[in-house]
Amino acid sequence: MAQTTRTAAAVAAVAIALSLAACSGSEEPPAEDSLTPVTVGVIPITDTAALWLGDQEGFFEEEGIDLTIETTDGGATSMAGVVSGDYDFAFSNMVSLMVAQDQGLPVRYVTNGTSVEGTEEGFGAVVVPEDSDIEQPADLVGRTVSVNNLSNITGATASYAVEQDGGDPNGIDYVELPFPDMPAALASGNIDAAMIVEPFLTAVRDEGARVVAWNYQAIPDMDIAGYFATTETIESDPELVERFTRAMNRSLERAGEDPEAVRAVVGTYTEISEDARARMNLPVFRTEFNVAAAEELGEALVRYGIVENAPDVAAILPQ
């Protein structure tokens, strides 16, 4: 009887030890050589701060992801990178995915990235030199306006603001320029106006530029951009997509809860001063999409000739 008791006690002790070891192991991050390499293409602007913050906080590593962030100049480059397989995921604006759908490219969002709220000041705007005779959105008709990429959300929302102000957006001459190059082009007179985003927006306003349209707020509570992948990746590796999405959603929630952490992390991948970062307008960081706002944007794209058919919004948003 004593032997049986001792045996039972030993088995119980081993079981407890194994249980404790399992619990202890689950709390430790995966070994570096067991992480899955994932490359994400993003524009180095305030919009993508949540990704950089989540990487800094270790959210991706906790999901077994070895994250590499590659910087791009806009949605077109990100789209090409994902479709070609150079990027596993990328950050791109809503219009770029609607255009991709119109062209038959198989891409879909896996989570949100940046959004706006209300109709007041935001993190993107059309600005002009202080002494410009452009006073309101409709005055942009017949002028040269820089955007980071043609046929994307910067120009589409500027056109929407002009349309709301009674102007004909088809009369705007849009030209491509990287965001960092816009302030100099504006100051030299090479362009009449610039559709620019944070952190460059605050910097150019410090130099005397003034806002004529808060175009991102033209459609209230709209989602500006998100993180996407090819449908092939989503269907063939759902487990990886789920892990990336969980890490990204934690990053968005963290960014939404701590604006000061967002301002700080922007300083790690841009050269914007601490003072300017302290004063810049931040995006809204949320995980859910506003479907009605996206549909309104899609209808505008048809009017402007950016897409031929009204976008199927449900087909580009996460399932």
Side-chain angles (χ1 to χ4, degrees):
M1 185 63 146
Q3 178 64 33
T4 301
T5 302
R6 286 196 297 271
T7 301
V11 170
V14 170
I16 292 171
L18 289 173
S19 176
L20 289 173
C23 292
S24 175
S26 66
E27 294 175 359
E28 295 178 2
E32 187 173 341
D33 59 1
S34 70
L35 300 179
T36 304
V38 169
T39 300
V40 183
V42 302
I43 315 173
I45 53 178
T46 304
D47 304 47
T48 60
L51 176 72
W52 302 83
L53 182 59
D55 185 34
Q56 181 176 281
E57 295 285 330
F59 297 156
F60 293 91
E61 185 176 355
E62 289 173 15
E63 290 291 346
I65 291 173
D66 180 12
L67 187 68
T68 297
I69 301 175
E70 295 281 352
T71 59
T72 74
D73 59 4
T77 305
S78 296
M79 186 65 61
V82 166
V83 173
S84 69
D86 290 338
Y87 306 146
D88 300 290
F89 302 92
F91 175 89
S92 191
N93 68 86
M94 189 72 70
V95 172
S96 288
L97 259 73
M98 291 179 175
V99 170
Q101 182 189 73
D102 199 52
Q103 296 173 346
L105 297 177
V107 292
R108 177 190 288 271
Y109 282 121
V110 297
T111 189
N112 207 338
T114 49
S115 310
V116 296
E117 285 184 349
T119 58
E120 302 302 320
E121 289 194 13
F123 67 98
V126 178
V127 298
V128 298
E130 188 174 16
D131 59 355
S132 172
D133 62 351
I134 299 173
E135 298 292 339
Q136 59 194 52
D139 295 338
L140 294 169
V141 177
R143 306 301 182 94
T144 300
V145 181
S146 69
V147 292
N148 67 313
N149 283 153
L150 298 177
S151 298
N152 84 351
I153 202 160
T154 51
T157 53
S159 291
Y160 199 98
V162 168
E163 185 180 38
Q164 286 183 319
D165 197 39
D168 179 6
N170 292 318
I172 301 173
D173 180 20
Y174 287 113
V175 297
E176 283 190 358
L177 276 179
F179 287 126
D181 295 346
M182 291 184 187
L186 195 68
S188 66
N190 289 337
I191 55 175
D192 298 307
M195 196 284 123
I196 196 165
V197 300
E198 296 288 13
F200 309 106
L201 175 57
T202 293
V204 77
R205 292 178 77 187
D206 285 347
E207 295 172 3
R210 55 184 173 81
V211 173
V212 295
W214 294 101
N215 51 300
Y216 274 179
Q217 266 71 16
I219 300 177
D221 303 319
M222 182 175 65
D223 302 301
I224 303 301
Y227 295 85
F228 73 99
T230 62
T231 53
E232 179 182 359
T233 295
I234 294 171
E235 293 168 1
S236 66
D237 201 346
E239 189 264 345
L240 175 63
V241 172
E242 288 174 8
R243 286 191 283 141
F244 176 82
T245 301
R246 280 197 300 267
M248 195 63 242
N249 284 347
R250 286 183 67 190
S251 303
L252 290 166
E253 290 166 358
R254 175 83 170 90
E257 294 166 354
D258 194 344
E260 295 314 306
V262 172
R263 297 180 194 281
V265 80
V266 170
T268 66
Y269 61 90
T270 74
E271 297 180 356
I272 304 302
S273 71
E274 182 178 358
D275 173 65
R277 285 185 279 114
R279 293 181 288 108
M280 67 184 180
N281 295 327
L282 296 181
V284 171
F285 297 102
R286 65 187 182 208
T287 59
E288 300 300 319
F289 285 88
N290 183 336
V291 177
E295 291 174 341
E296 185 174 348
L297 174 64
E299 292 167 1
L301 299 189
V302 177
R303 293 198 301 274
Y304 308 149
I306 295 176
V307 297
E308 185 175 347
N309 304 300
D312 179 0
V313 172
I316 63 171
L317 297 184
Q319 292 183 332

